[in-house]
């Protein structure tokens, strides 16, 4: 969609404005205030407009710690047995391992579930077309909104943790965990790997 100057200004104001009832000072300090704003409306496109997503925002310290315990238990198995030496070597440059202390320290965890199907009023299953693609697009929009607000996160896809996390968070069986995002402001000591990106001519083809 092409936007004129008025639409651009409206969009920019929407990104930067706090929801009604939230003082601007608290809005700018507390990332938890931004969660409802960034997720509200569920504005991502989806297959046949089925909106097959559920965003679970976790703030409770005890629940966050339980999430960490589940993930670290499975991730240790992933690193030491499931994934193999090649995978461990490939992610070594990212300085990642099965210890996930940020799951405790991040003010907010967002767990995004895809609804593999829905239900109509009669209780029969409702087809959710392209549910994984649709939810992945919504995750991309959420990541852009978080970054635009000055927040940071890391995209995580905890292998083999989905069923236990679904039960912990009391989600129904038609929902499958797609992604987990710890969200907050970067600490003063935070660093990121200096990763090289593919040049434009390797990722874009003009016909």
């Amino acid at each position: 969609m092409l936007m004129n100057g008025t639409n651009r200004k409206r969009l920019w104001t929407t990104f930067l404005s706090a929801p009604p009832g939230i003082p601007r000072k608290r809005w700018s300090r507390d990332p938890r205030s931004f969660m409802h704003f960034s997720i509200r409306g569920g504005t991502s496109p989806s297959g046949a407009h089925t909106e097959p997503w559920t965003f679970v925002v976790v703030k409770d310290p005890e629940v966050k710690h339980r999430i960490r315990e589940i993930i670290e238990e499975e991730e240790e198995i992933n690193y030491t047995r499931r994934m193999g030496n090649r995978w461990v070597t490939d992610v070594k440059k990212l300085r990642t391992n099965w210890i996930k202390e940020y799951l405790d320290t991040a003010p907010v965890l967002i767990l995004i579930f895809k609804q593999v199907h829905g239900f109509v009023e009669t209780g029969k299953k409702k087809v959710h077309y392209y549910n994984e693609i649709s939810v992945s697009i919504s995750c991309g929009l959420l990541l852009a909104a978080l970054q635009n607000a000055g927040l940071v996160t890391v995209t995580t896809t905890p292998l083999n943790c989905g069923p236990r996390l679904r039960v912990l968070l009391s989600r129904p069986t038609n929902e499958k965990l797609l992604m987990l995002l710890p969200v907050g402001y970067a600490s003063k000591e935070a660093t990121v790997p200096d990763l090289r990106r593919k040049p434009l001519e390797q990722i874009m083809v003009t016909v």
Side-chain angles (χ1 to χ4, degrees):
M1 179 182 70
L2 296 177
M3 293 188 293
N4 58 30
T6 302
N7 286 337
R8 286 197 191 97
K9 184 177 180 181
R10 185 180 299 120
L11 177 63
W12 186 248
T13 302
T14 300
F15 267 128
L16 298 182
S17 299
I22 298 181
R24 180 168 291 277
K25 287 185 179 179
R26 181 160 64 86
W27 165 255
S28 62
R29 279 200 315 267
D30 189 353
R32 291 171 295 185
S33 301
F34 187 75
M35 295 305 100
H36 301 287
F37 179 63
S38 58
I39 296 173
R40 70 180 182 177
T43 55
S44 177
S46 60
H49 194 56
T50 52
E51 302 176 286
W53 44 66
T54 301
F55 297 88
V56 180
V57 179
V58 180
K59 304 176 184 179
D60 185 281
E62 292 184 6
V63 179
K64 289 194 296 179
H65 187 68
R66 183 64 187 125
I67 290 173
R68 177 181 177 180
E69 289 179 332
I70 291 173
I71 290 178
E72 288 188 343
E73 181 180 328
E74 293 292 340
E75 283 285 76
E76 183 174 8
I77 298 173
N78 293 338
Y79 275 82
T80 58
R81 285 183 286 179
R82 284 195 187 110
M83 302 303 292
N85 291 332
R86 177 63 180 271
W87 183 83
V88 173
T89 301
D90 286 344
V91 299
K92 188 175 181 179
K93 61 184 175 224
L94 303 177
R95 301 180 191 174
T96 182
N97 56 39
W98 62 82
I99 306 299
K100 313 291 184 185
E101 68 279 352
Y102 55 77
L103 296 174
D104 273 323
T105 58
V108 174
L109 304 180
I110 306 178
L111 290 88
I112 302 101
F113 288 82
K114 64 176 183 179
Q115 301 169 8
V116 295
H117 62 80
F119 295 96
V120 297
E121 293 181 0
T122 61
K124 291 184 178 181
K125 289 184 179 180
K126 175 184 178 181
V127 178
H128 279 173
Y129 303 97
Y130 309 109
N131 57 79
E132 184 158 338
I133 295 175
S134 298
V135 180
S136 297
I137 293 171
S138 74
C139 290
L141 293 178
L142 176 58
L143 288 168
L146 295 173
Q147 183 173 0
N148 193 77
L151 298 169
V152 296
T153 186
V154 56
T155 54
T156 64
T157 53
L159 182 65
N160 288 347
C161 300
R164 294 171 66 186
L165 294 176
R166 178 182 60 76
V167 172
L168 174 68
L169 300 171
S170 302
R171 302 312 309 157
T173 55
N174 65 313
E175 294 187 3
K176 308 296 182 185
L177 181 65
L178 183 71
M179 188 177 296
L180 185 154
L181 301 175
V183 178
Y185 290 107
S187 69
K188 293 181 180 179
E189 298 79 22
T191 60
V192 295
D194 185 15
L195 301 176
R196 305 181 93 185
R197 302 289 180 177
K198 292 181 179 179
L200 183 61
E201 57 269 19
Q202 289 188 16
I203 64 172
M204 185 179 74
V205 177
T206 301
V207 179

